[in-house]
């Protein structure tokens, strides 16, 4: 039907399976193991997955970074070719499931990721193979959780379309309302502005005894004498405020000095009392 919105894919569960050479072949792994620099690895990955525009396209750049750091992690921890290819496919399939729908599916993706890892950790042919050791499984899980699932909202924001609800209602026997043009929208805004200005003018108007609407009288401008009088009043008020400040500061200062004198007198009394007590004790011991 014309004008019908495209259907948005809903989250769905994927079935995990063994994926050793699904995305990277043996020859491609041989080439990746020979190169050393990061630029060479990114160049090879861009050729394999058709992301040659990663220097200009932000989405391609994000994918290349995700693939590159996955390969680099496998190299740093001494993974074999089969382990590297499987780990790469696990990360790639998890990402593809996450971004296939704009709706929340992070829990389903994490369950799918754990099932993929399990398929490569237990010897149970043909459903799973014993490819990773328990220590490697722990490393893989921690790496993917800390680097991918912690930022899953960013990946979903970049790789999924923005969902916006556009609600329209139709009634039987009533023709559909055509979309307003830009000119009509401008005219409508102009009419709304005029109506709002008229309402504001009516609110400001007053009614006399006969019920007639009268506009409020405009505010008269001050004369030169009134301006001079206002200036003198403000100057006088400023001077009185300044005098009040000085008086308050002097009062605070005098109170502070009186308090200090009282403290000194109390300290002197305490010190003399302690001296008398010490002298009396010494006298008693002498006797």
């Amino acid at each position: 039907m014309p004008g019908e919105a495209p259907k948005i894919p809903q989250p769905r569960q994927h079935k995990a399976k063994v994926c050793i050479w699904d995305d990277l072949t043996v020859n491609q792994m041989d080439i990746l193991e020979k190169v050393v620099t990061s630029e060479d690895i990114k160049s090879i990955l861009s050729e394999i997955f058709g992301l040659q525009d990663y220097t200009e396209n932000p989405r391609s750049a994000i994918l290349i970074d995700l693939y590159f750091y996955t390969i680099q992690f496998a190299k740093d921890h001494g993974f074999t070719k089969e382990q590297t290819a499987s780990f790469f496919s696990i990360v790639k399939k998890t990402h593809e499931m996450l971004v296939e729908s704009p709706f929340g599916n992070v829990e389903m993706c994490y369950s799918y990721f754990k099932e993929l890892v399990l398929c490569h950790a237990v010897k149970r042919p043909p459903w799973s193979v014993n490819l990773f050791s328990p220590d490697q499984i722990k490393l893989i899980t921690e790496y993917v959780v800390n680097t991918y699932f912690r930022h899953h909202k960013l990946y979903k924001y970049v790789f999924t379309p923005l969902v916006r609800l556009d609600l329209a209602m139709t009634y039987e026997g009533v023709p559909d309302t055509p979309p307003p043009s830009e000119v009509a929208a401008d005219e409508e805004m102009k009419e709304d502005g005029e109506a709002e200005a008229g309402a504001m003018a009516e609110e400001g108007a007053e009614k006399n005894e006969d019920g007639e609407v009268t506009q409020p009288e405009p505010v008269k401008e001050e004369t030169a004498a009134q301006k001079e009088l206002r200036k003198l009043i403000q100057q006088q008020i400023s001077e009185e405020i300044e005098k009040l400040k000085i008086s308050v500061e002097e009062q605070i200062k005098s109170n502070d000095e009186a308090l200090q004198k009282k403290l000194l007198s109390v300290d002197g009394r305490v010190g003399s009392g302690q001296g008398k007590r010490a002298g009396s004790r010494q006298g008693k011991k002498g006797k």
Side-chain angles (χ1 to χ4, degrees):
M1 293 178 64
E4 185 178 358
K7 293 184 178 180
I8 302 172
Q10 299 292 326
R12 61 187 182 89
Q13 189 63 53
H14 290 237
K15 186 177 181 181
K17 62 178 183 178
V18 178
C19 51
I20 298 179
W21 304 111
D22 284 8
D23 299 292
L24 294 175
T25 63
V26 179
N27 294 332
Q28 291 170 349
M29 281 303 308
D30 291 336
I31 297 172
L32 288 171
E33 284 193 345
K34 291 178 182 178
V35 296
V36 179
T37 63
S38 60
E39 291 300 327
D40 292 339
I41 296 175
K42 290 182 179 180
S43 178
I44 293 170
L45 290 172
S46 65
E47 292 178 0
I48 294 173
F49 298 102
L51 301 172
Q52 289 87 349
D53 60 341
Y54 72 95
T55 57
E56 302 173 355
N57 189 347
R59 288 189 177 183
S60 300
I62 293 171
L63 274 180
I64 287 294
D65 284 342
L66 176 65
Y67 297 161
F68 165 73
Y69 286 111
T70 301
I71 297 294
Q72 192 63 41
F73 175 83
K75 283 188 175 184
D76 294 340
H77 292 83
F79 285 9
T80 62
K81 294 179 182 179
E82 292 82 2
Q83 291 174 340
T84 302
S86 299
F87 175 53
F88 183 89
S89 295
I90 289 172
V91 174
K92 185 173 182 292
K93 291 180 183 297
T94 303
H95 170 72
E96 289 174 350
M97 178 181 177
L98 181 75
V99 301
E100 72 178 3
S101 172
F103 299 104
N105 60 346
V106 63
E107 294 182 359
M108 297 173 62
C109 287
Y110 186 66
S111 299
Y112 178 59
F113 163 73
K114 291 191 294 184
E115 292 176 2
L116 284 173
V117 174
L118 187 63
C119 287
H120 300 81
V122 180
K123 188 175 182 180
R124 195 176 56 181
W127 297 280
S128 62
V129 294
N130 186 14
L131 188 63
F132 297 112
S133 66
D135 293 337
Q136 290 174 332
I137 293 172
K138 183 179 179 182
L139 288 173
I140 289 172
T141 304
E142 290 179 352
Y143 173 79
V144 176
V145 168
N146 292 327
T147 61
Y148 187 80
F149 282 105
R150 282 186 183 275
H151 308 95
H152 72 278
K153 291 184 179 180
L154 297 176
Y155 285 105
K156 189 174 285 290
Y157 175 79
V158 173
F159 292 99
T160 58
L162 179 64
V163 179
R164 185 177 64 182
L165 177 63
D166 189 5
L167 183 63
M169 302 180 68
T170 57
Y171 300 91
E172 294 183 0
V174 178
D176 295 339
T177 304
S181 61
E182 295 182 358
V183 178
D186 293 340
E187 292 179 355
E188 185 177 355
M189 290 178 64
K190 186 177 179 181
E191 291 176 359
D192 292 342
E194 293 177 354
E196 185 177 357
M200 292 175 65
E202 290 180 1
E203 290 178 359
E206 298 178 354
K207 291 184 179 180
N208 55 15
E209 297 177 354
D210 298 333
E212 296 178 354
V213 177
T214 59
Q215 296 294 334
E217 296 181 0
V219 180
K220 297 180 180 180
E221 295 184 359
E222 293 183 349
T223 61
Q226 290 175 341
K227 291 181 179 179
E228 186 66 24
L229 180 60
R230 183 183 295 276
K231 184 177 179 181
L232 291 173
I233 293 173
Q234 291 177 351
Q235 185 178 357
Q236 186 68 24
I237 292 174
S238 300
E239 292 176 357
E240 293 297 329
I241 292 173
E242 191 66 26
K243 290 179 182 179
L244 183 61
K245 286 182 180 179
I246 295 172
S247 176
V248 171
E249 290 176 358
E250 291 178 352
Q251 187 175 0
I252 292 173
K253 186 177 180 181
S254 62
N255 291 338
D256 190 16
E257 291 176 353
L259 181 62
Q260 292 294 334
K261 289 179 181 179
K262 289 182 180 180
L263 292 174
L264 290 173
S265 63
V266 171
D267 292 339
R269 291 176 184 175
V270 173
S272 62
Q274 290 179 352
K276 290 180 180 179
R277 290 179 184 177
S280 62
R281 289 177 183 175
Q282 290 178 359
K284 288 180 180 181
K285 289 181 180 179
K287 292 178 180 180

